[in-house]
Amino acid sequence: MHLTTEIEDHRQRALIAGSGHKEFLNILKAKLIAHDVDVYTATEIPEAFLSYDIIIFLNDPRVMLPTLLDYPDKKFIFIFFNQHELALTYSSFSYENNSKHIKVISLESTPTHFAKDVETLLWFSFARTEDAFLHLYHPDLRSPVKKKKSSRKSLIDMRDWFTRPRNMVLLGILLFIVSMLLFLPPLGAASYYHYRAAQAVRTSEDTTVESKRQQASSYLRLSKSFYTFSRPIFNFFSIARPIDSMFQINESTQIMLGSYSSIKARSGSMLERMMSPSIGDDQTLIEDKEEIMKSLHEFDDQLAIVKETFPTWNADMKKTKTELNEVSNLLDSVFELEPHMDTLFGRDAEKKYMLLFANNMELRPGGGFIGSFAIMRMKNYHLEELTVYDVYDADGQLEERIQPPAAISEHLDQPFWFLRDSAFSPDYPTNYAQAERFLELELGEVNFDGGVMMTTTAVQNILQAMDKLYIADYDDTITAENFYLKTQIHAEKDFFPGSQQKKRFLASVMDTMLLNIGQASPTQLVRMLQRSLDEKQLVMYTKDAEVQQVIERNFWAGQLLKPTCQLESAVNCVLDFIYPIDANLGVNKANYFVQRPLGLEVNIQPDGSIQNKLSLAYQNTSYADVFPGGTYKNYFQLYLPPNAQITTVSVDDEIITDYEETNFDFKTISMLVDIPPQQSKTIQVQYVLPTTIISGSGIYQLIFQKQVGSPSSDFFLKVTAPSNVQIVNNNFSPLVNSSGINYNTTISSDKIFVIEFSKK
């Protein structure tokens, strides 16, 4: 038999590419050699396979068929064992492209027929026939496609593969690697469910918290059992530490979630019991308090571990770590107060507190216009009494005529001073003392143990932890979003001195809040209280000196800070201090519509002197004669470092001179600025600091105080330095350029900016 009808003047070279089917391969190879063909074999297709005259592919070759069309002078033969559908696919390509040099054979046979099959397929492959496809199978097989025989053959091939020493080694290595990494999938699942549980904590979905914690616990136990086998190997190669950290984070998170569930279970009943009058020393309540504190300490211990080991690979992880630090700081404050809780909540003796409700939509230096107040008595951790008063009820009983601050008499045309206007100092302890004096003169109330001022914003924050409140007396529903407007509708609109509507509405709101406090999310409630304290929407004062020190250390006292250098080691420290203060004297609620971004430009001169420019851009978005807005009649004050030199004061770039200036503990300026509805005005104050930067290393420290009750404001800081002054470090993250730094932030609490420099 001749393999081709063409005359060849050299021996043809054939390549058989494929593995398995040794018996068939040997017969095929022998037949080709018998016809003077040089035969080469390869288990995989070599890169130079096109250098051969005949290329025979056994089974799926994974070759790009279109590339074969460009070589009509070569012969390409595809032989498929028990892969009939795949063979049909290849033959369709050959027919569609009329490629006579590409032949496809579907072979469904057994070793007993291989010799005859080889003769037939070689004849078909080299004959001058138009056919591109040949299907070989035998009548003694039960069907053209013998599944059972094919499976048996596959098992034989698999056994042959596994018995090869090289493959056995590879398989052993693969199994070893898999066994080393078996702990990873359940560890990933545990981490995922812990993350879901933490998200549920944020949204107070307590049922979800517990279910996800249980799922995470199961996966974590499974992962730890697998890791027991793997860890010695990882430890040997010094790569166990990051994996250990992941396990530690999960284990600590598991404990923290358990502590959270325990705190949640006890806190609701504890708060409900606290809101009811006591019948003696309530041991159940005390036990709940002690167990909650125990769980908080357990939570804090594990939180410290998580903070230490938590990675910061991306922005989300960095944000999570920041949140963990915030929770840790809050717990530190709680633990500072823990030894004093019995004193604060009247465990040893009844405590009497003053609660002032300040409407910061009518902003005053100390938080806002005081429209209502309450007197609260605590005993044995129980709220014994909470009586809400309208401020005009008390002020109407004042017989002594008290001289008010000059701004009240001049700009409010009010010759006498009352409790409602008592929050006129930027220092809450001062305002507390003044309010205490008024209550003694007006109602004969004395012997207060301390007090709290709460703004409208603080009430809104607390309402966020309570979803919504139905006020039965008014058949209305209060939420954090509508509280202010509902208050205006029910308590302020058409109000006149002597009216009882404000007192009744706020009393109903307070009663409903206290009755439902046990249903509030403890996590959200604590978070909102912390937010109100940090943002100075809620400030406190107590006559217990030790407790007051704790409050002041956490900046919850609303006190006027004394400018001092925070770094005791700094010899050359230049102090800067800014405290802008607004007082709405327009007898309206225009602050609801007022925005006030600020900017400070710090210009360091070559001689070391510092020239600053402070800009305050007021914008009043209210409409004229539309309740509750109007013209923002603002009595503006600015506290600066003592002996600072004021160079210019301007409004909308127009320099003014009709402002008041004092120089005692602080340099202060004050003036009246009106911002009509739908208008804006910019106040600029330029001043020079009384101290200069000297040669060597030193610090520039800026203390920026936020007014009690004021909203958070955008703040832009720009520091420009000459070539002989180099900024070497700072406690914030600014944008740095060749001549200085730029920094954008939000003033939501008191801020301290520290810049280290070196001057030549």
Side-chain angles (χ1 to χ4, degrees):
M1 179 183 74
H2 296 286
L3 299 183
T4 180
T5 57
E6 297 178 0
I7 300 175
E8 298 288 338
D9 57 358
H10 66 279
R11 290 173 62 87
Q12 291 181 299
R13 300 169 70 244
L15 170 67
I16 303 175
S19 61
H21 307 287
K22 286 185 177 181
E23 188 174 349
F24 178 87
L25 179 63
N26 291 335
I27 295 172
L28 176 60
K29 184 177 179 181
K31 289 288 185 181
L32 289 170
I33 293 174
H35 291 282
D36 296 323
V37 177
D38 292 334
V39 181
Y40 302 85
T41 61
T43 57
E44 296 182 357
I45 302 173
E47 292 184 0
F49 74 93
L50 291 173
S51 63
Y52 296 91
D53 305 295
I54 304 165
I55 301 95
I56 301 174
F57 303 100
L58 298 183
N59 286 329
D60 185 7
R62 300 190 183 280
V63 66
M64 301 297 292
L65 286 174
T67 61
L68 307 183
L69 297 176
D70 298 329
Y71 301 92
D73 58 328
K74 298 184 182 296
K75 186 70 69 175
F76 300 98
I77 304 167
F78 294 85
I79 302 174
F80 294 91
F81 286 83
N82 302 312
Q83 299 183 60
H84 188 66
E85 295 297 325
L86 187 59
L88 289 173
T89 301
Y90 274 70
S91 64
S92 297
F93 175 84
S94 181
Y95 281 122
E96 289 171 1
N97 292 278
N98 194 26
S99 52
K100 300 177 182 179
H101 62 297
I102 299 176
K103 302 290 185 177
V104 181
I105 297 99
S106 173
L107 184 60
E108 294 174 322
S109 183
T110 61
T112 57
H113 300 285
F114 280 170
K116 184 177 179 181
D117 293 336
V118 168
E119 287 282 351
T120 302
L121 67 87
L122 287 178
W123 173 85
F124 170 77
S125 300
F126 294 91
R128 293 182 180 273
T129 175
E130 298 292 329
D131 289 332
F133 178 70
L134 174 66
H135 184 197
L136 290 176
Y137 68 94
H138 298 279
D140 58 332
L141 301 178
R142 283 181 291 179
S143 65
V145 180
K146 294 295 181 179
K147 300 293 182 181
K148 189 172 182 180
K149 293 289 184 179
S150 175
S151 299
R152 182 181 300 173
K153 182 62 179 175
S154 298
L155 290 173
I156 293 172
D157 292 341
M158 289 177 62
R159 184 173 62 185
D160 180 64
W161 189 90
F162 281 115
T163 56
R164 296 176 187 175
R166 177 173 175 269
N167 293 343
M168 291 178 66
V169 172
L170 291 175
L171 181 62
I173 293 173
L174 178 62
L175 290 175
F176 177 77
I177 293 173
V178 170
S179 67
M180 290 294 101
L181 301 178
L182 276 176
F183 70 92
L184 283 176
L187 179 60
S191 301
Y192 169 75
Y193 284 115
H194 278 144
Y195 169 77
R196 290 288 304 278
Q199 292 293 99
V201 169
R202 288 192 178 98
T203 55
S204 303
E205 300 174 37
D206 299 309
T207 304
T208 303
V209 172
E210 188 57 26
S211 66
K212 299 305 178 187
R213 186 180 78 88
Q214 294 293 343
Q215 289 175 293
S217 177
S218 300
Y219 282 111
L220 186 60
R221 285 196 301 270
L222 179 62
S223 184
K224 287 173 67 177
S225 65
F226 287 141
Y227 188 56
T228 302
F229 171 73
S230 307
R231 192 183 185 284
I233 304 299
F234 285 106
N235 194 46
F236 177 79
F237 289 102
S238 301
I239 56 175
R241 179 169 292 183
I243 302 172
D244 290 346
S245 296
M246 288 301 299
F247 274 102
Q248 184 62 69
I249 290 172
N250 276 274
E251 290 172 357
S252 295
T253 303
Q254 183 72 202
I255 297 172
M256 289 163 62
L257 291 171
S259 299
Y260 168 81
S261 297
S262 175
I263 294 168
K264 170 64 178 177
R266 290 182 176 271
S267 60
S269 61
M270 178 183 171
L271 286 172
E272 288 179 352
R273 295 175 74 89
M274 288 181 70
M275 294 304 107
S276 60
S278 66
I279 53 175
D281 197 359
D282 191 336
Q283 289 302 315
T284 302
L285 192 152
I286 299 302
E287 289 173 5
D288 283 343
K289 187 265 293 187
E290 291 175 350
E291 286 299 318
I292 288 173
M293 294 308 303
K294 180 181 177 182
S295 296
L296 283 175
H297 280 286
E298 183 180 54
F299 186 98
D300 188 55
D301 291 341
Q302 300 305 318
L303 179 60
I305 296 173
V306 173
K307 284 197 309 175
E308 183 68 25
T309 55
F310 196 84
T312 54
W313 298 330
N314 54 42
D316 288 339
M317 287 183 166
K318 290 178 180 178
K319 180 182 178 181
T320 299
K321 193 154 189 174
T322 299
E323 292 176 348
L324 293 175
N325 287 323
E326 291 174 353
V327 173
S328 180
N329 293 335
L330 173 61
L331 290 175
D332 289 342
S333 301
V334 172
F335 297 146
E336 273 194 283
L337 288 171
E338 183 182 4
H340 310 288
M341 285 184 177
D342 286 351
T343 300
L344 283 171
F345 293 101
R347 178 77 185 277
D348 303 318
E350 183 180 89
K351 296 295 179 181
K352 180 181 178 182
Y353 296 109
M354 173 201 311
L355 275 65
L356 301 175
F357 300 105
N359 190 340
N360 56 335
M361 299 303 104
E362 188 173 347
L363 190 62
R364 296 295 172 83
F369 177 84
I370 300 172
S372 303
F373 66 94
I375 296 176
M376 180 175 71
R377 288 179 169 84
M378 296 290 300
K379 184 178 181 180
N380 291 325
Y381 283 86
H382 286 271
L383 179 63
E384 295 292 314
E385 181 183 352
L386 179 69
T387 306
V388 179
Y389 297 86
D390 182 83
V391 73
Y392 286 97
D393 289 344
D395 285 347
Q397 301 180 51
L398 182 63
E399 297 179 357
E400 183 176 336
R401 300 312 184 193
I402 302 174
Q403 182 69 28
I408 293 177
S409 59
E410 292 177 13
H411 304 301
L412 275 177
D413 296 325
Q414 188 169 293
F416 306 114
W417 202 8
F418 297 94
L419 174 62
R420 57 183 178 267
D421 296 316
S422 61
F424 219 79
S425 168
D427 180 69
Y428 174 64
T430 300
N431 291 333
Y432 168 83
Q434 189 62 50
E436 190 176 40
R437 181 189 176 200
F438 276 119
L439 286 181
E440 180 180 1
L441 295 173
E442 294 176 346
L443 300 181
E445 292 287 351
V446 295
N447 300 322
F448 286 97
D449 294 289
V452 173
M453 172 174 279
M454 180 183 298
T455 68
T456 302
T457 302
V459 177
Q460 290 175 307
N461 289 340
I462 294 171
L463 284 171
Q464 288 189 37
M466 307 185 74
D467 190 20
K468 57 185 178 182
L469 290 176
Y470 175 69
I471 312 300
D473 294 341
Y474 289 82
D475 190 25
D476 206 347
T477 299
I478 300 297
T479 66
E481 290 73 24
N482 70 16
F483 170 72
Y484 175 69
L485 291 178
K486 294 286 186 182
T487 301
Q488 300 307 308
I489 293 171
H490 291 297
E492 296 287 349
K493 191 173 184 180
D494 300 326
F495 171 79
F496 58 89
S499 169
Q500 296 294 306
Q501 63 189 46
K502 184 192 302 181
K503 178 181 76 172
R504 290 170 180 165
F505 177 73
L506 290 177
S508 295
V509 172
M510 292 301 298
D511 287 343
T512 307
M513 287 179 65
L514 294 175
L515 285 172
N516 290 272
I517 195 72
Q519 306 303 317
S521 162
T523 306
Q524 189 76 344
L525 183 61
V526 171
R527 185 181 295 121
M528 290 299 102
L529 285 173
Q530 180 200 15
R531 177 178 176 180
S532 299
L533 287 165
D534 289 344
E535 296 184 357
K536 301 173 75 170
Q537 302 297 341
L538 190 156
V539 290
M540 302 186 298
Y541 175 80
T542 174
K543 293 180 179 178
D544 187 300
E546 292 184 4
V547 179
Q548 184 63 19
Q549 287 179 2
V550 175
I551 294 173
E552 290 181 359
R553 278 198 300 270
N554 287 280
F555 300 96
W556 294 342
Q559 75 272 31
L560 180 61
L561 298 177
K562 181 180 180 181
T564 57
C565 191
Q566 297 297 306
L567 299 178
E568 297 178 357
S569 59
V571 177
N572 182 14
C573 183
V574 178
L575 283 171
D576 201 353
F577 179 87
I578 295 177
Y579 194 174
I581 302 162
D582 285 4
N584 181 355
L585 303 182
V587 195
N588 59 26
K589 308 298 183 281
N591 288 97
Y592 186 81
F593 306 95
V594 171
Q595 297 177 345
R596 188 195 66 176
L598 307 96
L600 177 67
E601 297 180 22
V602 179
N603 298 292
I604 303 175
Q605 304 301 309
D607 63 356
S609 62
I610 299 178
Q611 300 177 3
N612 289 353
K613 181 170 71 173
L614 176 68
S615 300
L616 304 96
Y618 289 87
Q619 183 177 10
N620 182 359
T621 61
S622 70
Y623 292 92
D625 301 324
V626 177
F627 176 83
T631 296
Y632 186 42
K633 186 178 180 181
N634 180 27
Y635 180 68
F636 172 74
Q637 300 177 81
L638 178 63
Y639 282 52
L640 296 172
N643 299 319
Q645 180 183 350
I646 306 295
T647 55
T648 61
V649 177
S650 62
V651 177
D652 287 344
D653 296 325
E654 182 179 345
I655 295 177
I656 63 172
T657 57
D658 56 339
Y659 61 88
E660 299 176 12
E661 182 176 336
T662 63
N663 191 37
F664 298 106
D665 294 332
F666 300 89
K667 170 65 65 99
T668 66
I669 64 170
S670 55
M671 58 184 176
L672 189 68
V673 180
D674 290 345
I675 301 98
Q678 296 295 306
Q679 292 191 28
S680 60
K681 287 187 179 181
T682 299
I683 299 174
Q684 286 189 341
V685 180
Q686 298 189 47
Y687 64 97
V688 178
L689 292 180
T691 54
T692 61
I693 296 175
I694 62 175
S695 298
S697 299
I699 288 176
Y700 167 78
Q701 177 183 288
L702 168 64
I703 299 175
F704 196 117
Q705 273 210 262
K706 177 182 180 290
Q707 181 180 353
V708 176
S710 66
S712 300
S713 300
D714 293 335
F715 178 62
F716 174 72
L717 174 64
K718 179 179 181 180
V719 181
T720 304
S723 58
N724 63 330
V725 176
Q726 182 181 5
I727 297 172
V728 297
N729 199 10
N730 44 265
N731 68 336
F732 50 99
S733 302
L735 297 174
V736 181
N737 55 42
S738 58
S739 60
I741 59 177
N742 296 326
Y743 180 61
N744 287 302
T745 188
T746 300
I747 300 296
S748 58
S749 60
D750 294 341
K751 299 278 188 181
I752 298 179
F753 303 91
V754 178
I755 300 175
E756 297 182 35
F757 58 84
S758 176
K759 180 176 181 291
K760 297 179 181 179

